[in-house]
Amino acid sequence: MLQTLSTASSLWNPSQRSACLEIVEFQRSQLSSLSPCPFYLKFGSKSVQKGRALVSGTFPYACQRPKQYPAGKKPGEYPQNMDLPPVLPKKKKKPYPIPFKEIQKAARKDKKLAERGIEKPLQPPKNGLLVPELIPVAYEVLDAWKLLIKGLAQLFECSEVHVAHSGHNIQDCKGPSSSKRRGLHSWVKGSINDILIPIESYHLYDPFGRRIKHETRFDYDRIPAVVELCIQAGVDIPEYPSRRRTNPIRMIGKKIIDRGGYVEEPKPWRAVDPSSSSIIDLDTCGACERFPPPSPEDVPIIAQETMNAHETVQTGVTKLMKKYTVKACGYCSEVHVGPWGHNAKLCGEFKHQWRDGKHGWQDATVSEVFPPNYVWHVQDPKGPPMRSALKRYYGKAPAVVELCMQAGAQVPRRYKPMMRLDIIVPESEEASLVA
């Protein structure tokens, strides 16, 4: 066997760029004595499998080990502890989710096709048509969104559920007049909007129609961005109609040459009494007054249903955003569901004077459409408040996860590393002795 390998390797001349190839035949017993991984020998770029292989002149032979995954990188496995995403500075534009070089490359490709008069190839939903396999996902996300609002409203009504009985003493406040308070927070009673941050978007009857101008911004409804994403993905809500195309749009470069004509948009639903409509379940406004407080026996069940609804919404939004375009401002929290952003001059963040209040649109991320709102994980809600000196021992979790966990729900595995459940918080006197 070794003679055969040496003969095959001697056929290759290192001074030449080409290599002689030879079929090497061997037995399993001979191969087992040669290498600890007998059925996966690698000759150059070809793998030996089932006793027959092509030999190239790169290496005589080498053992191909199984693929090694770093800690927490293998699918389905998570590290022991994990840090949160860094807090982006407000005096700087957000990074692009897609590398800027890839954006430039795609723009140059579209420009070359436009110069030659060739239409831009568009696939659903970029051409205005729906994606049939994502319509059930959109309905599932909308149902989970309603259940999430209902569950949070009921958990807020229960007197036994609190993220904490008192606020922490960690000096990480960066709001107005925080320097006078030395970074300490000024705590007030929270609401459902503090748990589920309301991110709204303009509802468009035709996302490929006329753009929203600053003067016409009051002619459009503002609804949760998750709801608007579901509507554009195929959910039909009578109060929020949407144009369903049967013929795709056509584009050359950035110019639409055929959109099927402009259609008169229906009037907003504001003429309808919202209390008598089903759309009231889609908003967090007044949610705590719509649902009665649960009994103590039902609190763990409601908490688990709310946790499952939260995971369904996040997973579904991730699937929808892989196909449907959502834009976000690179400076503020404004989100727009559609192929391009609106022209309302409402941005007041960094260097907004240079842009005349216009938003700096770029592709949105899931955390911008459905923000997690991380809070400190409290191991003992009735214990003493957390302190800045022990901050490195504390973990964090999304506010919905923390609330449901304290109400009796099971925590999903992917949140446990950032919550640091395996770390014992030392006493203040012991903290100086910890390495």
Side-chain angles (χ1 to χ4, degrees), residues 395-412:
K396 281 191 173 183
V400 177
V401 176
E402 179 71 13
L403 179 65
C404 295
M405 186 209 67
Q406 295 191 14
Q410 296 293 328
V411 180

Side-chain angles (χ1 to χ4, degrees), residues 125-308:
K126 307 296 183 182
N127 59 0
L129 303 180
L130 296 177
V131 182
E133 56 268 20
L134 290 181
I135 295 179
V137 177
Y139 275 98
E140 185 181 6
V141 170
L142 191 65
D143 293 338
W145 176 261
K146 296 178 183 178
L147 184 60
L148 178 61
I149 295 176
K150 179 181 178 181
L152 291 178
Q154 290 180 310
L155 293 178
F156 261 95
E157 291 292 332
C158 181
S159 59
E160 297 183 3
V161 178
H162 296 278
V163 176
H165 285 261
S166 61
H168 60 73
N169 294 330
I170 299 177
Q171 298 173 333
D172 58 354
C173 181
K174 299 180 181 179
S177 69
S178 60
S179 58
K180 298 180 181 179
R181 293 178 276 107
R182 297 183 179 181
L184 291 173
H185 297 275
S186 179
W187 296 105
V188 296
K189 187 177 180 180
S191 64
I192 188 175
N193 288 336
D194 298 317
I195 300 291
L196 195 62
I197 299 179
I199 299 296
E200 294 184 340
S201 174
Y202 287 107
H203 169 62
L204 298 176
Y205 173 74
D206 184 6
F208 294 89
R210 294 183 177 91
R211 281 183 126 183
I212 299 176
K213 299 181 180 180
H214 185 73
E215 296 77 14
T216 61
R217 65 186 186 277
F218 296 112
D219 297 338
Y220 300 88
D221 290 321
R222 296 277 293 182
I223 62 176
V226 174
V227 178
E228 176 64 16
L229 179 62
C230 294
I231 292 175
Q232 293 192 17
V235 174
D236 293 325
I237 300 178
E239 291 83 359
Y240 298 124
S242 181
R243 183 178 180 180
R244 305 302 183 193
R245 282 183 167 83
T246 56
N247 297 323
I249 65 171
R250 299 164 56 197
M251 294 181 64
I252 293 182
K254 295 183 179 180
K255 183 179 179 181
I256 298 179
I257 60 176
D258 183 13
R259 59 163 49 91
Y262 289 104
V263 180
E264 184 179 357
E265 298 184 4
K267 295 182 179 181
W269 67 270
R270 284 190 288 265
V272 183
D273 185 10
S275 61
S276 62
S277 178
S278 60
I279 60 175
I280 193 174
D281 297 333
L282 304 175
D283 199 355
T284 58
C285 181
C288 294
E289 289 79 15
R290 295 198 303 265
F291 305 103
S295 60
E297 296 80 12
D298 296 336
V299 169
I301 300 176
I302 295 176
Q304 189 62 50
E305 292 177 353
T306 306
M307 181 79 79
N308 297 339

Side-chain angles (χ1 to χ4, degrees), residues 18 53 57 67 72 103 111 117 121 128 160 176 210 235 239 278 292 295 308 316 368 379 386 415:
S18 60
K67 187 176 181 180
I103 299 177
K111 185 178 179 180
E160 297 183 3
R210 294 183 177 91
V235 174
E239 291 83 359
S278 60
S295 60
N308 297 339
E368 291 174 321
Q379 296 184 0
M386 295 185 291
Y415 296 115

Side-chain angles (χ1 to χ4, degrees), residues 48-64:
V48 175
Q49 215 167 8
K50 297 183 180 180
R52 193 174 181 87
L54 286 174
V55 180
S56 67
T58 306
F59 300 100
Y61 62 92
C63 182
Q64 183 182 10

Side-chain angles (χ1 to χ4, degrees), residues 95-109:
Y96 289 97
I98 303 176
F100 193 68
K101 290 186 177 180
E102 295 185 10
I103 299 177
Q104 290 179 322
K105 183 179 179 180
R108 287 193 295 265
K109 183 179 179 181

